[in-house]
Structures are given as C-alpha cells and as structure tokens.
Amino acid sequence: MTARQIGAPRSAAIHGTSARRLDLDDYFARQRAGRAELPDPEPVLRNLTHCVIEVLAGARDLEQLARWVTDDVYRNLSKRVVLAARARRVKGLVPQRPAFTVGRVHLGEPADGIVEAVVMVHQRARSRAVAIRLEGLDQRWRASVISVL
C-alpha cells in the first residue's frame, strides 16, 4: 500500500499548542486574493478582450488564453471557436485578424477580489460588448466568466 490509504481523507494533523485537522485540498487549492493584493484590473480586461475577439476570429490560438481563464471559460470558448471555424469553412472564408478597437471599460466590484466589467469593442460594421468577471486567485486575476454579446 502507499503512504496514503485509498479512500482515506486528505488531511493532516498539526501538532502544537492547539492541535487541529488541516484539509490538504483547502491548503493546496487556489487561494482567493483580496483587492489590495491584486494589480489594476483594467489592463487585464482590455488585453483579455482583445485576445478573445482574435481567438473567435481564428487569428489567435485559444491555448494562449489558458493561463488567464478558468477551465469552464476555456471549454466554453473552445466550443465557440469550433462553431466559428465551421461557419468560416462553410462560407469559404480564411481566418484573418479582425480590425477593431477596444473602447470604454465599465467596471463594478461586487465583492472584495471580484471585478465584473463590460468592455466595448468597436468594429467598422458594429459594436459589441464583452462581459467579463475576474476573480483574484493566487495574487493574480483570472476570468471566471466571459461572454461576447
């Protein structure tokens, strides 16, 4: 058998003046960060929006965003990338870098270490909004929700 029995709880005893149980999953999991520990979210929002629009247009690989988004966001973006690629293939279009500008960022902070924002994206034919929720995890921002409207 291994040092940890199969099915045994993942915890360890801390010895000292006040002995208690420490859940190892809580200790080694991503740690929430407060707003004071995090950088300004606006540059992250602008860059992330720029990258997401390019990913959906087929001009950038989705893997480049993996570090900045949660697993759920990555899966959802992956589905949208596949659908966009199919639509381009049916129309006979090749992926190309879109021409757009990132406009105004509307920020809100519903809780400490959480930012919800809408970033405006202006293209020649239309304007779009990208809604992003950033959460402070391990002293950096990670997108837990991205929705291109």
Side-chain angles (χ1 to χ4, degrees):
M1 280 272 168
T2 61
R4 185 171 84 85
Q5 298 293 327
I6 296 174
R10 294 178 48 104
S11 62
I14 298 175
H15 301 288
T17 57
S18 61
R20 63 185 178 96
R21 303 295 284 175
L22 175 67
D23 187 10
L24 295 178
D25 288 334
D26 289 341
Y27 185 74
F28 289 107
R30 297 199 184 279
Q31 302 296 314
R32 291 227 175 257
R35 182 67 175 93
E37 305 171 63
L38 297 163
D40 181 25
E42 189 165 335
V44 174
L45 290 164
R46 287 182 174 281
N47 291 331
L48 196 55
T49 299
H50 193 272
C51 292
V52 166
I53 297 297
E54 288 182 349
V55 163
L56 293 177
R60 181 183 294 265
D61 288 331
L62 178 59
E63 289 81 24
Q64 294 178 3
L65 295 180
R67 173 171 200 248
W68 302 104
V69 300
T70 61
D71 293 340
D72 290 338
V73 171
Y74 188 88
R75 279 191 293 276
N76 290 336
L77 284 175
S78 179
K79 290 175 189 174
R80 287 199 63 174
V81 166
V82 168
L83 292 174
R86 281 187 198 156
R88 279 192 303 275
R89 195 169 39 249
V90 166
K91 294 178 184 176
L93 301 174
V94 295
Q96 52 185 320
R97 193 164 307 280
F100 66 93
T101 58
V102 177
R104 189 166 173 179
V105 177
H106 302 274
L107 278 172
E109 295 188 34
D112 186 36
I114 296 176
V115 170
E116 293 177 345
V118 175
V119 183
M120 297 303 299
V121 176
H122 305 288
Q123 295 173 305
R124 188 179 341 167
R126 66 179 179 171
S127 293
R128 304 173 93 174
V130 180
I132 301 175
R133 179 183 172 105
L134 296 179
E135 295 183 10
L137 298 170
D138 296 333
Q139 280 72 44
R140 65 183 180 94
W141 293 112
R142 282 186 66 133
S144 59
V145 176
I146 295 179
S147 182
V148 181
L149 308 173

